[in-house]
Amino acid sequence: MKLKVCGMKYVENIQQVAGLQPDYLGFIFYEKSKRNFEGIIPEFSNSIQKTGVFVNEYIEIVISLVEEYRLDAIQLHGDESVAYIKELNFQLEQSRELKIEENKRIKKKKNQHYISKNKVEIIKVFGIKDEFNFNVLKPYLEVVDYFLFDTKGKERGGNGTKFDWSVLENYPFDKPFFLSGGIGLQDVEQVQKILKSNLPIYALDVNSKFESKPGTKKIEELKNFKKEIFV
């Protein structure tokens, strides 16, 4: 079971959360979000996956930010099509191959391009409320690494409310997914219960329920949550 803390914004708070060793830290690159990230990502453990969250963004901009911030994962929170994701995967691979070739010609290591050890993971988000047609996921199975199920609401994430988790009982695939949507300390018992099911839950994604203000996470509450769930 993995933990993703999303909506990071401020350097000191990022360092504090990184000190808790979550598996993923999410940075939202979406101007309409209260947690839109425009700063500097401080150094932290390489074991933490830096995840960029995008909403219907131009592929060229996604690629540029992946390179600038050395992102390990891309979370697509908009209406991205299968064709969009195929093209994104293609361009990511092209960019990687180009940098490998260029590095061969650059003798000094300090001047070489950064190249991640693994391919950039693709996480596709789908909003759920009281029901969901899982057939819409079929075309995405071959082009994404994970799904993420969030609460369908006015905002593109960070709504602070849970959807009806019983809907997931009808999930028909083996593809692992992130569980998101208003998860907080008060949900420990409910989380423990769903984790005992046979659902392929890969990670829990938390955000607004652990904030003192948008983008600032409460460290002690996160610490307690991790202690309760990730034993």
Side-chain angles (χ1 to χ4, degrees), residues 7-22:
M8 304 308 304
K9 194 169 174 69
Y10 305 104
V11 170
E12 185 178 352
N13 194 237
I14 293 168
Q15 291 172 322
Q16 291 172 330
V17 174
L20 300 179
Q21 286 294 304

Side-chain angles (χ1 to χ4, degrees), residues 3-211:
L3 174 64
K4 175 172 172 282
V5 183
C6 201
M8 304 308 304
K9 194 169 174 69
Y10 305 104
V11 170
E12 185 178 352
N13 194 237
I14 293 168
Q15 291 172 322
Q16 291 172 330
V17 174
L20 300 179
Q21 286 294 304
D23 301 282
Y24 292 78
L25 278 181
F27 301 87
I28 298 172
F29 298 99
Y30 181 52
E31 289 184 358
K32 294 181 181 179
S33 172
K34 294 175 285 189
R35 301 169 184 86
N36 182 47
F37 185 79
E38 297 177 312
I40 296 170
I41 300 179
E43 292 291 324
F44 50 72
S45 171
N46 290 331
S47 66
I48 301 173
Q49 303 278 83
K50 280 185 280 189
T51 306
V53 180
F54 301 93
V55 179
N56 301 326
E57 187 57 89
Y58 290 111
I59 287 177
E60 293 75 16
I61 293 177
V62 175
I63 299 289
S64 173
L65 290 170
V66 166
E67 294 179 352
E68 179 181 349
Y69 289 103
R70 300 182 176 184
L71 301 178
D72 303 293
I74 295 170
Q75 181 174 314
L76 300 172
H77 222 296
D79 308 303
E80 297 85 4
S81 66
V82 172
Y84 173 99
I85 298 174
K86 283 183 177 178
E87 181 62 24
L88 175 59
N89 275 320
F90 174 75
Q91 291 198 31
L92 283 168
E93 186 56 34
Q94 289 287 97
S95 173
R96 183 183 177 85
E97 290 178 2
L98 180 62
K99 285 189 286 186
I100 289 172
E101 288 303 311
E102 288 180 351
N103 279 354
K104 290 177 182 177
R105 296 191 292 271
I106 300 172
K107 293 182 179 179
K108 291 185 178 180
K109 276 199 170 184
K110 66 177 183 178
N111 295 331
Q112 290 182 344
H113 299 288
Y114 166 79
I115 300 171
S116 62
K117 292 181 180 179
N118 304 308
K119 94 178 247 306
V120 177
E121 296 177 352
I122 304 293
I123 305 163
K124 181 68 185 86
V125 179
F126 290 89
I128 298 177
K129 199 169 185 182
D130 301 319
E131 57 184 7
F132 188 75
N133 178 13
F134 289 104
N135 287 328
V136 303
L137 304 179
K138 281 185 180 179
Y140 291 88
L141 290 170
E142 299 303 317
V143 297
V144 305
D145 297 285
Y146 307 101
F147 293 125
L148 185 151
F149 298 126
D150 197 2
T151 305
K152 194 172 186 177
K154 292 181 180 179
E155 304 290 334
R156 295 281 187 168
N159 288 287
T161 57
K162 287 192 298 299
F163 63 91
D164 182 359
W165 289 356
S166 67
V167 173
L168 296 174
E169 293 173 6
N170 298 316
Y171 182 69
F173 307 114
D174 295 325
K175 178 73 69 177
F177 63 84
F178 288 66
L179 179 59
S180 187
I183 299 173
L185 258 181
Q186 74 281 0
D187 300 306
V188 166
E189 190 174 328
Q190 196 175 351
V191 169
Q192 288 172 334
K193 183 177 179 181
I194 196 169
L195 292 182
K196 291 177 182 177
S197 69
N198 291 322
L199 290 167
I201 301 172
Y202 173 74
L204 298 176
D205 179 270
V206 300
N207 188 350
S208 60
K209 286 293 186 179
F210 288 92
E211 289 183 329

